[in-house]
Amino acid sequence: NAGVMQNPRHLVRRRGQEARLRCSPMKGHSHVYWYRQLPEEGLKFMVYLQKENIIDESGMPKERFSAEFPKEGPSILRIQQVVRGDSAAYFCASSPVPSMLGEQFFGPGTRLTVL
Amino acid sequence: AQTVTQSQPEMSVQEAETVTLSCTYDTSENNYYLFWYKQPPSRQMILVIRQEAYKQQNATENRFSVNFQKAAKSFSLKISDSQLGDTAMYFCAFMKHGGATNKLIFGTGTLLAVQP
């Protein structure tokens, strides 16, 4: 059973470009979470999605950021018009049932660098 | 709002020795989970140990154990017989149980270096 997959692992963008980060949850998992880790900091929650629904986006900036988890295909975190402050590691996690022991399984992360 | 505090930015321990990492949290919830995650240089987040707040017994996973003090809102991690592969950043995390969302709230981490 493959783990949570994220791609790309590294992404370089210039200011003003768009960044698309993809996350494929573990097989059988229908809940996806995105977290951001700024340099020298802990992970901060951004958004929680189930298939075709955003459940909680309280941690996501109101502008330029969006997330989706379509019925088919991976979850996508999209950052429009990137700025240097968006440079961070973005982690995706998945779970089968949200409250079942609370465990979330993390992907390897995507490191975004904005030049 | 819940908060998680790790007051030790860095720690060092000799191989084969024991080390304890501290974590405190603040919440008004009664049902929740607490976790310790390890992040080695590869940056992969690895679950080390989990504690359910309703369980009084401290969780143990091989060389890793916790000291869970619910009244004091303290959740420390003890690593026994430290190994070089334990060198990593360790994050304490909180999750409310049974809510509409299941977000993890992380502390700022403790960088542990195991010295040969």
Side-chain angles (χ1 to χ4, degrees):
Chain A
N1 189 6
V4 177
M5 302 183 68
Q6 291 187 249
N7 67 81
R9 293 293 307 277
H10 300 273
L11 183 61
V12 179
R13 285 288 178 265
R14 296 190 180 279
R15 281 178 297 171
Q17 291 184 319
E18 179 180 287
R20 279 182 175 245
L21 288 63
R22 295 176 188 77
C23 168
S24 296
M26 288 181 69
K27 188 176 181 180
H29 289 192
S30 58
H31 302 266
V32 165
Y33 313 79
W34 285 94
Y35 295 84
R36 176 165 67 174
Q37 185 178 29
L38 294 170
E40 310 301 324
E41 293 188 13
L43 281 71
K44 296 282 175 58
F45 168 80
M46 298 182 73
V47 61
Y48 163 41
L49 310 102
Q50 296 176 19
K51 285 283 188 181
E52 301 184 280
N53 286 303
I54 296 174
I55 307 303
D56 181 358
E57 56 182 347
S58 60
M60 199 148 71
K62 294 286 185 283
E63 297 180 355
R64 302 187 298 108
F65 286 73
S66 62
E68 62 176 10
F69 188 17
K71 187 176 180 181
E72 300 291 337
S75 175
I76 306 287
L77 179 66
R78 182 183 178 204
I79 311 172
Q80 295 178 290
Q81 298 176 322
V82 295
V83 300
R84 289 225 173 100
D86 296 333
S87 294
Y90 292 82
F91 289 91
C92 168
S94 73
S95 69
V97 176
S99 296
M100 183 67 72
L101 302 180
E103 185 170 356
Q104 296 177 11
F105 298 82
F106 281 82
T110 293
R111 184 172 301 199
L112 172 65
T113 301
V114 180
L115 302 178
Chain B
Q2 292 85 12
T3 58
V4 177
T5 302
Q6 293 179 252
S7 58
Q8 305 153 314
E10 297 183 21
M11 292 196 71
S12 181
V13 64
Q14 293 295 125
E15 199 174 3
E17 297 292 308
T18 295
V19 64
T20 298
L21 308 184
S22 301
C23 173
T24 59
Y25 58 95
D26 188 27
T27 185
S28 58
E29 301 291 334
N30 193 45
N31 289 328
Y32 50 87
Y33 300 105
L34 294 163
F35 305 85
W36 279 97
Y37 279 88
K38 168 185 177 181
Q39 187 179 44
S42 67
R43 301 186 70 87
Q44 175 74 52
M45 293 290 288
I46 302 165
L47 178 64
V48 175
I49 199 164
R50 168 183 53 230
Q51 176 81 40
E52 290 121 272
Y54 67 87
K55 288 188 176 179
Q56 292 186 335
Q57 186 172 5
N58 289 325
T60 299
E61 289 286 343
N62 301 313
R63 297 182 296 107
F64 299 87
S65 62
V66 298
N67 184 2
F68 173 46
Q69 301 289 329
K70 190 172 184 179
K73 296 179 182 175
S74 170
F75 183 60
S76 61
L77 174 70
K78 185 171 83 171
I79 306 174
S80 304
D81 186 25
S82 297
Q83 300 175 0
L84 296 178
D86 294 334
T87 292
M89 191 73 131
Y90 287 81
F91 292 100
C92 179
F94 171 99
M95 178 193 289
K96 176 182 171 183
H97 174 65
T101 185
N102 296 278
K103 60 186 177 185
L104 285 162
I105 299 170
F106 287 89
T108 51
T110 295
L111 181 60
L112 176 66
V114 180
Q115 307 291 344

